[in-house]
Short mmCIF file of all heavy atoms in Angstrom, two decimals:
data_model
loop_
_atom_site.label_atom_id
_atom_site.label_comp_id
_atom_site.label_asym_id
_atom_site.label_seq_id
_atom_site.Cartn_x
_atom_site.Cartn_y
_atom_site.Cartn_z
N SER E 774 -4.98 137.89 79.40
CA SER E 774 -5.99 138.61 78.61
C SER E 774 -7.30 138.62 79.40
O SER E 774 -7.76 137.59 79.90
CB SER E 774 -6.24 137.96 77.28
OG SER E 774 -5.03 137.97 76.49
N VAL E 775 -7.91 139.81 79.53
CA VAL E 775 -9.14 139.96 80.25
C VAL E 775 -10.07 140.93 79.52
O VAL E 775 -9.62 141.71 78.70
CB VAL E 775 -8.92 140.47 81.68
CG1 VAL E 775 -8.13 139.47 82.51
CG2 VAL E 775 -8.24 141.82 81.71
N GLN E 776 -11.32 140.85 79.87
CA GLN E 776 -12.29 141.82 79.35
C GLN E 776 -12.24 143.07 80.15
O GLN E 776 -11.86 143.09 81.31
CB GLN E 776 -13.71 141.26 79.42
CG GLN E 776 -13.97 140.08 78.47
CD GLN E 776 -14.07 140.53 77.04
OE1 GLN E 776 -13.20 140.21 76.22
NE2 GLN E 776 -15.09 141.30 76.72
N ALA E 777 -12.60 144.22 79.50
CA ALA E 777 -12.67 145.47 80.22
C ALA E 777 -13.57 145.32 81.44
O ALA E 777 -14.65 144.68 81.39
CB ALA E 777 -13.18 146.56 79.32
N GLY E 778 -13.15 145.90 82.56
CA GLY E 778 -13.84 145.78 83.82
C GLY E 778 -13.36 144.61 84.66
O GLY E 778 -13.71 144.53 85.84
N GLY E 779 -12.54 143.75 84.11
CA GLY E 779 -12.04 142.63 84.83
C GLY E 779 -10.83 142.95 85.69
O GLY E 779 -10.42 144.10 85.78
N SER E 780 -10.24 141.92 86.26
CA SER E 780 -9.13 142.08 87.22
C SER E 780 -8.01 141.10 86.90
O SER E 780 -8.21 140.04 86.36
CB SER E 780 -9.57 141.84 88.63
OG SER E 780 -10.58 142.78 89.05
N LEU E 781 -6.82 141.54 87.26
CA LEU E 781 -5.63 140.68 87.23
C LEU E 781 -4.79 141.02 88.43
O LEU E 781 -4.80 142.15 88.92
CB LEU E 781 -4.80 140.90 85.96
CG LEU E 781 -5.34 140.29 84.64
CD1 LEU E 781 -4.44 140.75 83.50
CD2 LEU E 781 -5.34 138.77 84.71
N ARG E 782 -4.00 140.01 88.86
CA ARG E 782 -3.05 140.26 89.90
C ARG E 782 -1.66 139.86 89.42
O ARG E 782 -1.45 138.69 89.09
CB ARG E 782 -3.39 139.49 91.19
CG ARG E 782 -2.49 139.73 92.36
CD ARG E 782 -3.05 139.10 93.63
NE ARG E 782 -2.12 139.24 94.76
CZ ARG E 782 -2.05 140.30 95.57
NH1 ARG E 782 -2.85 141.36 95.29
NH2 ARG E 782 -1.23 140.35 96.59
N LEU E 783 -0.76 140.81 89.37
CA LEU E 783 0.59 140.57 88.95
C LEU E 783 1.49 140.33 90.13
O LEU E 783 1.30 140.91 91.20
CB LEU E 783 1.14 141.77 88.13
CG LEU E 783 0.31 142.25 86.96
CD1 LEU E 783 1.02 143.36 86.26
CD2 LEU E 783 0.00 141.11 86.02
N SER E 784 2.45 139.47 89.94
CA SER E 784 3.46 139.20 91.00
C SER E 784 4.85 139.39 90.45
O SER E 784 5.10 139.20 89.27
CB SER E 784 3.29 137.74 91.48
OG SER E 784 2.03 137.51 92.07
N CYS E 785 5.75 139.73 91.30
CA CYS E 785 7.17 139.85 90.97
C CYS E 785 7.97 139.30 92.12
O CYS E 785 7.72 139.69 93.29
CB CYS E 785 7.50 141.32 90.73
SG CYS E 785 9.28 141.66 90.56
N VAL E 786 8.91 138.45 91.84
CA VAL E 786 9.78 137.88 92.86
C VAL E 786 11.20 138.28 92.57
O VAL E 786 11.70 138.12 91.44
CB VAL E 786 9.65 136.35 92.92
CG1 VAL E 786 10.63 135.78 93.97
CG2 VAL E 786 8.22 135.96 93.24
N ALA E 787 11.85 138.80 93.59
CA ALA E 787 13.26 139.25 93.46
C ALA E 787 14.22 138.24 94.04
O ALA E 787 13.91 137.60 95.08
CB ALA E 787 13.46 140.59 94.14
N SER E 788 15.32 138.04 93.38
CA SER E 788 16.38 137.20 93.89
C SER E 788 17.71 137.81 93.58
O SER E 788 17.83 138.85 92.95
CB SER E 788 16.25 135.77 93.28
OG SER E 788 16.42 135.84 91.89
N GLY E 789 18.78 137.13 94.01
CA GLY E 789 20.12 137.69 93.82
C GLY E 789 20.43 138.71 94.88
O GLY E 789 20.19 138.49 96.04
N TYR E 790 21.01 139.83 94.46
CA TYR E 790 21.36 140.89 95.39
C TYR E 790 20.14 141.70 95.74
O TYR E 790 19.79 142.64 95.02
CB TYR E 790 22.46 141.78 94.84
CG TYR E 790 23.03 142.74 95.83
CD1 TYR E 790 23.92 142.28 96.81
CD2 TYR E 790 22.65 144.06 95.83
CE1 TYR E 790 24.42 143.17 97.75
CE2 TYR E 790 23.17 144.94 96.76
CZ TYR E 790 24.06 144.48 97.74
OH TYR E 790 24.58 145.37 98.67
N ILE E 791 19.52 141.37 96.87
CA ILE E 791 18.26 141.97 97.25
C ILE E 791 18.31 142.77 98.55
O ILE E 791 17.33 143.41 98.92
CB ILE E 791 17.14 140.90 97.38
CG1 ILE E 791 17.56 139.90 98.47
CG2 ILE E 791 16.91 140.24 96.04
CD1 ILE E 791 16.51 138.84 98.77
N TYR E 792 19.45 142.75 99.20
CA TYR E 792 19.53 143.26 100.58
C TYR E 792 19.40 144.76 100.65
O TYR E 792 19.03 145.29 101.68
CB TYR E 792 20.76 142.77 101.24
CG TYR E 792 20.87 141.24 101.27
CD1 TYR E 792 21.73 140.60 100.41
CD2 TYR E 792 20.08 140.53 102.12
CE1 TYR E 792 21.80 139.22 100.40
CE2 TYR E 792 20.13 139.15 102.14
CZ TYR E 792 21.00 138.47 101.29
OH TYR E 792 21.05 137.11 101.28
N SER E 793 19.75 145.47 99.62
CA SER E 793 19.73 146.92 99.63
C SER E 793 18.48 147.49 98.95
O SER E 793 18.41 148.73 98.82
CB SER E 793 20.96 147.49 98.97
OG SER E 793 22.14 147.10 99.68
N ILE E 794 17.58 146.67 98.57
CA ILE E 794 16.37 147.18 97.87
C ILE E 794 15.53 148.03 98.81
O ILE E 794 15.21 147.62 99.93
CB ILE E 794 15.54 146.02 97.33
CG1 ILE E 794 16.28 145.31 96.21
CG2 ILE E 794 14.18 146.52 96.85
CD1 ILE E 794 15.60 144.06 95.73
N ASN E 795 15.18 149.18 98.36
CA ASN E 795 14.21 150.04 99.06
C ASN E 795 12.90 150.05 98.23
O ASN E 795 11.88 149.54 98.72
CB ASN E 795 14.73 151.41 99.25
CG ASN E 795 13.70 152.35 99.90
OD1 ASN E 795 12.80 151.89 100.59
ND2 ASN E 795 13.84 153.66 99.67
N CYS E 796 12.98 150.66 97.07
CA CYS E 796 11.77 150.79 96.28
C CYS E 796 11.50 149.63 95.39
O CYS E 796 12.42 149.06 94.77
CB CYS E 796 11.89 152.04 95.41
SG CYS E 796 12.24 153.56 96.30
N MET E 797 10.24 149.23 95.29
CA MET E 797 9.79 148.29 94.30
C MET E 797 8.64 148.95 93.56
O MET E 797 7.81 149.59 94.17
CB MET E 797 9.33 146.98 94.95
CG MET E 797 10.40 146.29 95.79
SD MET E 797 9.93 144.64 96.41
CE MET E 797 10.17 143.67 94.93
N ALA E 798 8.63 148.75 92.26
CA ALA E 798 7.67 149.52 91.47
C ALA E 798 7.23 148.73 90.23
O ALA E 798 7.87 147.78 89.81
CB ALA E 798 8.29 150.84 90.99
N TRP E 799 6.09 149.12 89.75
CA TRP E 799 5.58 148.62 88.46
C TRP E 799 5.58 149.73 87.46
O TRP E 799 5.17 150.87 87.73
CB TRP E 799 4.14 148.10 88.61
CG TRP E 799 4.04 146.86 89.44
CD1 TRP E 799 3.71 146.73 90.75
CD2 TRP E 799 4.29 145.49 88.97
NE1 TRP E 799 3.71 145.43 91.13
CE2 TRP E 799 4.07 144.68 90.09
CE3 TRP E 799 4.65 144.99 87.74
CZ2 TRP E 799 4.22 143.27 89.98
CZ3 TRP E 799 4.82 143.57 87.66
CH2 TRP E 799 4.58 142.74 88.75
N PHE E 800 6.06 149.39 86.27
CA PHE E 800 6.02 150.25 85.08
C PHE E 800 5.26 149.52 83.99
O PHE E 800 5.09 148.30 84.06
CB PHE E 800 7.41 150.62 84.64
CG PHE E 800 8.13 151.53 85.56
CD1 PHE E 800 8.71 151.06 86.73
CD2 PHE E 800 8.21 152.90 85.30
CE1 PHE E 800 9.39 151.91 87.61
CE2 PHE E 800 8.87 153.76 86.18
CZ PHE E 800 9.47 153.27 87.30
N ARG E 801 4.85 150.26 82.99
CA ARG E 801 4.21 149.62 81.88
C ARG E 801 4.58 150.34 80.59
O ARG E 801 4.89 151.51 80.60
CB ARG E 801 2.72 149.56 82.02
CG ARG E 801 2.00 150.89 81.93
CD ARG E 801 0.54 150.75 82.19
NE ARG E 801 -0.21 151.98 82.00
CZ ARG E 801 -1.51 152.16 82.24
NH1 ARG E 801 -2.22 151.14 82.72
NH2 ARG E 801 -2.10 153.31 82.03
N GLN E 802 4.50 149.60 79.49
CA GLN E 802 4.76 150.19 78.22
C GLN E 802 3.77 149.63 77.19
O GLN E 802 3.75 148.43 76.91
CB GLN E 802 6.23 149.89 77.73
CG GLN E 802 6.61 150.64 76.48
CD GLN E 802 8.09 150.67 76.25
OE1 GLN E 802 8.85 149.85 76.82
NE2 GLN E 802 8.55 151.61 75.45
N ALA E 803 2.92 150.50 76.69
CA ALA E 803 1.96 150.14 75.68
C ALA E 803 2.56 150.31 74.30
O ALA E 803 3.51 151.04 74.11
CB ALA E 803 0.71 151.02 75.86
N PRO E 804 1.95 149.63 73.32
CA PRO E 804 2.47 149.76 71.96
C PRO E 804 2.51 151.22 71.48
O PRO E 804 1.54 151.97 71.62
CB PRO E 804 1.48 148.95 71.11
CG PRO E 804 0.93 147.92 72.11
CD PRO E 804 0.86 148.67 73.40
N GLY E 805 3.65 151.64 71.00
CA GLY E 805 3.79 153.02 70.51
C GLY E 805 3.92 154.07 71.59
O GLY E 805 3.92 155.26 71.24
N LYS E 806 4.00 153.67 72.83
CA LYS E 806 4.04 154.61 73.95
C LYS E 806 5.39 154.50 74.68
O LYS E 806 6.08 153.46 74.60
CB LYS E 806 2.93 154.37 74.92
CG LYS E 806 1.53 154.45 74.31
CD LYS E 806 1.18 155.89 73.95
CE LYS E 806 -0.26 155.94 73.47
NZ LYS E 806 -0.61 157.36 73.08
N GLU E 807 5.71 155.53 75.44
CA GLU E 807 6.87 155.50 76.30
C GLU E 807 6.55 154.68 77.55
O GLU E 807 5.39 154.56 77.99
CB GLU E 807 7.27 156.92 76.70
CG GLU E 807 7.75 157.79 75.56
CD GLU E 807 9.04 157.33 74.98
OE1 GLU E 807 9.90 156.87 75.75
OE2 GLU E 807 9.21 157.44 73.75
N ARG E 808 7.59 154.14 78.17
CA ARG E 808 7.42 153.45 79.43
C ARG E 808 6.97 154.42 80.50
O ARG E 808 7.54 155.55 80.58
CB ARG E 808 8.72 152.76 79.84
CG ARG E 808 8.58 151.89 81.08
CD ARG E 808 9.82 151.04 81.28
NE ARG E 808 10.05 150.13 80.17
CZ ARG E 808 10.97 149.17 80.18
NH1 ARG E 808 11.72 148.96 81.25
NH2 ARG E 808 11.12 148.41 79.10
#
């Protein structure tokens, strides 16, 4: 949770079958909205 104007840094770590990964992406879904 942050105030408007603030910053956050998100991280994602992949494991398992990772050798064929090309694209990595971030998506988001807000309440009542589509992803």
Side-chain angles (χ1 to χ4, degrees):
S774 299
V775 297
Q776 292 289 113
S780 298
L781 284 173
R782 184 171 176 84
L783 306 184
S784 298
C785 170
V786 178
S788 61
Y790 189 76
I791 60 175
Y792 303 104
S793 296
I794 292 173
N795 177 25
C796 304
M797 302 187 77
W799 291 99
F800 291 79
R801 69 185 186 185
Q802 189 164 18
K806 303 290 186 180
E807 296 291 324
R808 187 170 298 189

